[in-house]
Amino acid sequence: MFTEVLVALAIGGLIFFLVQKSRTPVLKTEDGWWGAGAPPDGVEDISIRPFKVTTSDEELEDLNRRIDQTRPTPSLEDSQFNYGFNSQYLQEVVSYWRNDFDWRRQVDKLNRYSHFKTNIEGIDVHYLHVKPRNVPEGSTAVPLIMVHGWPGSFYEFYGLIPLLTEPSDPQDLVFEVVCPSIPGYGFSEAPHKKGFDSVCAARIFHKLMKRLGFHKFYAHGGDWGWLVTTNMAQLQPGVVKGLHVNFAPNSRPGLSMVLSVMLGRRFPKMFGFTDFDVRRLFPCVDKLVVEAVKETGYMHIQATKPDTADLLLDAAGLRSGEDGGHTTSPSPFMPRGRGLNDSPVGLAAYILEKFSTWTSPDFRNLEDGGLTRKFSLDDLLTNVMIYWTSGCIVSSMRFYKENFGRGLNQPHSRVPVYVPTGYACFPNELMHTPKLWVEHKYRKLLTYSPMARGGHFAAMEEPRLMAEDIQNFTKTVEKKKK
């Protein structure tokens, strides 16, 4: 009798273990309320409202007045972009912005696609919804949500969208694209309460897609969009059919990753490292530590005290204008918070420096930062104007505080992703992630694509390459399902 009980317990334990092991781990979350005050009683407003980007004479006059009252600071001789945005070249950018940039024309370009807003968890969420004009007979459009990062916006995807919704190759899939603005970015309302992190954004975007009638869809993201879409896959793996990312730093290195750092330079084949992997990773102190320190000073401030400058500016950072109003003094020690929200030139320098160095580290050694080698000033300034006209720079920086403020050991960092995943590895990405490291987090990595060129803002810099990789990945997933 005793033996039979032991056998029964052993079999039961084995069955329980196998059942638990077979279950896909799911990230847990609870609904929130991010609106001002307490949530109202009554039925939730689920209406969807058309939205248009607008401007006015008053808005442009205020912008020009602030630009005209900027006080430039000379750069050091022979410093290029190694100390930040070169002041001499900044004057050229500002001159173009003030005299040649046509914001009204860019507003018309922004309104080329349909914009909407809808209220979710107490805040208005802005998004683009682009439906294909023609879908081949017998097929349906593939729903895809694409999420931006910082200091980007939904505008990063404007070159990519038509390549997905109106592909030239008849063999390509046709996508129906949704591009939301992360709450606190662009034209999405900023959360009014503490604690809004990537998991909250992921939950809200799931609700958005469900409200739009999509019960299963694909997701793509880079920068913060990588983490938000990854969280979406962790929250509802049965809803996200496939996840495509072009950024995948890992905050929880496993044993294989540690060993690869220690031994990968001498035994690259043991870890599946390519010659390119070795060049990007070693010597590891220089490539993984020193380079990171060079490019993450902004992150430390935004992840700890994003509002500090907002509090200090009234005391130390304002100077009187001729009209009796106030404009910002462009002190190099006041680069963030309200200083950026008050000074369009300070805002542009802070944002555009990232589009230089994060596109290629070699651009630090150029007088113009290589900005127009990959982007047009019109496109770069349009992204800046989205931050300026919406006044979202402070709330966008708070997203760092909310995500890093609780440490790196958050639940989502411990949950692997079991959704089919594709990774586009652009050679000038800020943090290089070899295939072995991507597989540590994404357990169903179907495609790992070394890209011919491109950096951190890949969707904006190389939209055609990105579209091709999204196509190839999605086709791979769809074929596996048949």
Side-chain angles (χ1 to χ4, degrees):
M1 181 69 178
F2 179 72
T3 302
E4 293 174 349
V5 171
L6 286 178
V7 171
L9 288 173
I11 293 174
L14 179 62
I15 292 173
F16 178 79
F17 172 77
L18 292 174
V19 169
Q20 289 296 109
K21 188 176 181 181
S22 66
R23 289 181 179 175
T24 300
V26 175
L27 185 64
K28 304 296 184 182
T29 187
E30 296 181 358
D31 290 347
W33 174 262
W34 306 104
D41 296 328
V43 180
E44 180 186 17
D45 178 12
I46 60 172
S47 63
I48 293 173
R49 310 181 305 279
F51 171 79
K52 281 208 167 197
V53 184
T54 61
T55 189
S56 65
D57 290 340
E58 292 77 13
E59 183 174 70
L60 293 174
E61 289 168 3
D62 175 68
L63 171 68
N64 290 337
R65 177 179 62 82
R66 291 169 185 266
I67 289 176
D68 290 342
Q69 293 180 339
T70 298
R71 184 170 59 191
T73 302
S75 292
L76 294 173
E77 295 178 5
D78 196 33
S79 61
Q80 294 86 36
F81 267 60
N82 286 290
Y83 283 70
F85 205 109
N86 182 277
S87 291
Q88 184 174 342
Y89 183 64
L90 180 60
Q91 291 303 105
E92 296 181 30
V93 173
V94 169
S95 176
Y96 180 84
W97 193 5
R98 177 65 173 87
N99 301 306
D100 300 299
F101 179 71
D102 189 341
W103 175 233
R104 293 186 188 277
R105 184 179 65 187
Q106 295 304 106
V107 165
D108 290 340
K109 182 178 180 179
L110 291 177
N111 288 323
R112 178 185 303 168
Y113 298 122
S114 298
H115 296 246
F116 302 90
K117 285 190 176 184
T118 189
N119 194 276
I120 303 176
E121 296 191 7
I123 50 178
D124 281 345
V125 177
H126 160 262
Y127 64 96
L128 304 178
H129 188 178
V130 186
K131 299 180 180 181
R133 296 175 185 174
N134 300 297
V135 180
E137 188 175 346
S139 64
T140 57
V142 179
L144 170 69
I145 183 172
M146 299 197 296
V147 184
H148 64 88
W150 186 93
S153 65
F154 63 90
Y155 185 65
E156 289 180 67
F157 300 120
Y158 263 56
L160 177 59
I161 289 172
L163 301 176
L164 296 173
T165 59
E166 303 170 37
S168 57
D169 188 340
Q171 300 302 314
D172 278 347
L173 299 167
V174 177
F175 289 86
E176 182 172 348
V177 175
V178 176
C179 291
S181 295
I182 296 172
Y185 287 71
F187 303 115
S188 279
E189 184 178 356
H192 295 263
K193 295 175 172 59
K194 297 183 294 183
F196 189 92
D197 60 11
S198 63
V199 177
C200 300
R203 184 180 65 242
I204 280 181
F205 289 165
H206 265 298
K207 292 182 178 182
L208 171 64
M209 294 300 279
K210 185 176 181 180
R211 190 170 293 182
L212 295 177
F214 299 117
H215 300 289
K216 289 195 173 185
F217 53 85
Y218 286 83
H220 163 78
D223 195 86
W224 280 128
W226 140 75
L227 186 55
V228 173
T229 54
T230 293
N231 293 160
M232 292 178 76
Q234 293 169 315
L235 286 171
Q236 297 188 44
V239 172
V240 179
K241 295 177 68 176
L243 172 65
H244 185 272
V245 294
N246 58 279
F247 188 61
N250 201 309
S251 62
R252 290 180 61 83
L255 178 61
S256 61
M257 292 177 61
V258 174
L259 290 175
S260 71
V261 170
M262 295 171 60
L263 304 174
R265 191 175 189 180
R266 293 192 63 186
F267 308 103
K269 292 183 180 180
M270 180 185 299
F271 304 98
F273 284 174
T274 64
D275 290 341
F276 180 74
D277 291 330
V278 173
R279 289 198 303 273
R280 281 300 310 266
L281 297 176
F282 302 101
C284 59
V285 172
D286 289 341
K287 298 299 177 67
L288 302 181
V289 179
V290 175
E291 275 299 314
V293 169
K294 285 182 180 179
E295 292 303 325
T296 55
Y298 80 97
M299 184 188 296
H300 184 70
I301 293 178
Q302 293 177 191
T304 53
K305 302 293 178 65
D307 286 14
T308 294
D310 189 27
L311 299 174
L312 293 176
L313 194 65
D314 281 331
L318 292 175
R319 61 186 176 90
S320 297
E322 293 178 0
D323 60 356
H326 290 91
T327 58
T328 56
S329 172
S331 164
F333 304 106
M334 285 288 180
R336 296 166 180 82
R338 184 169 162 183
L340 297 180
N341 201 48
D342 275 2
S343 170
V345 176
L347 179 68
Y350 193 54
I351 289 177
L352 295 184
E353 186 263 331
K354 305 308 178 193
F355 279 84
S356 165
T357 306
W358 293 2
T359 298
S360 172
D362 294 338
F363 287 175
R364 288 185 294 229
N365 300 317
L366 300 176
E367 296 292 341
D368 63 357
L371 274 178
T372 55
R373 295 191 179 195
K374 294 290 188 174
F375 311 104
S376 71
L377 280 181
D378 280 346
D379 284 339
L380 292 170
L381 289 171
T382 296
N383 181 62
V384 172
M385 285 294 287
I386 289 170
Y387 277 83
W388 175 256
T389 58
S390 66
C392 73
I393 186 61
V394 176
S395 55
S396 74
M397 294 191 298
R398 287 176 184 153
F399 202 55
Y400 284 79
K401 171 73 170 178
E402 304 297 6
N403 281 290
F404 288 111
R406 302 175 189 174
L408 299 177
N409 194 33
Q410 293 305 299
H412 67 77
S413 70
R414 302 191 295 270
V415 177
V417 176
Y418 289 94
V419 166
T421 304
Y423 182 71
C425 180
F426 287 87
N428 287 328
E429 181 54 85
L430 274 173
M431 300 179 186
H432 178 65
T433 313
K435 186 177 181 181
L436 174 72
W437 297 6
V438 179
E439 289 174 326
H440 177 73
K441 179 73 173 182
Y442 302 89
R443 303 298 173 83
K444 290 187 177 180
L445 184 67
L446 298 187
T447 62
Y448 181 96
S449 308
M451 309 303 283
R453 58 191 176 276
H456 187 68
F457 303 99
M460 187 173 175
E461 179 190 347
E462 298 289 347
R464 193 164 297 279
L465 290 181
M466 186 70 82
E468 290 172 359
D469 203 62
I470 292 174
Q471 282 280 355
N472 292 337
F473 165 69
T474 310
K475 288 175 183 177
T476 301
V477 177
E478 292 295 309
K479 285 178 182 177
K480 279 185 168 290
K481 291 181 179 294
K482 291 180 180 179

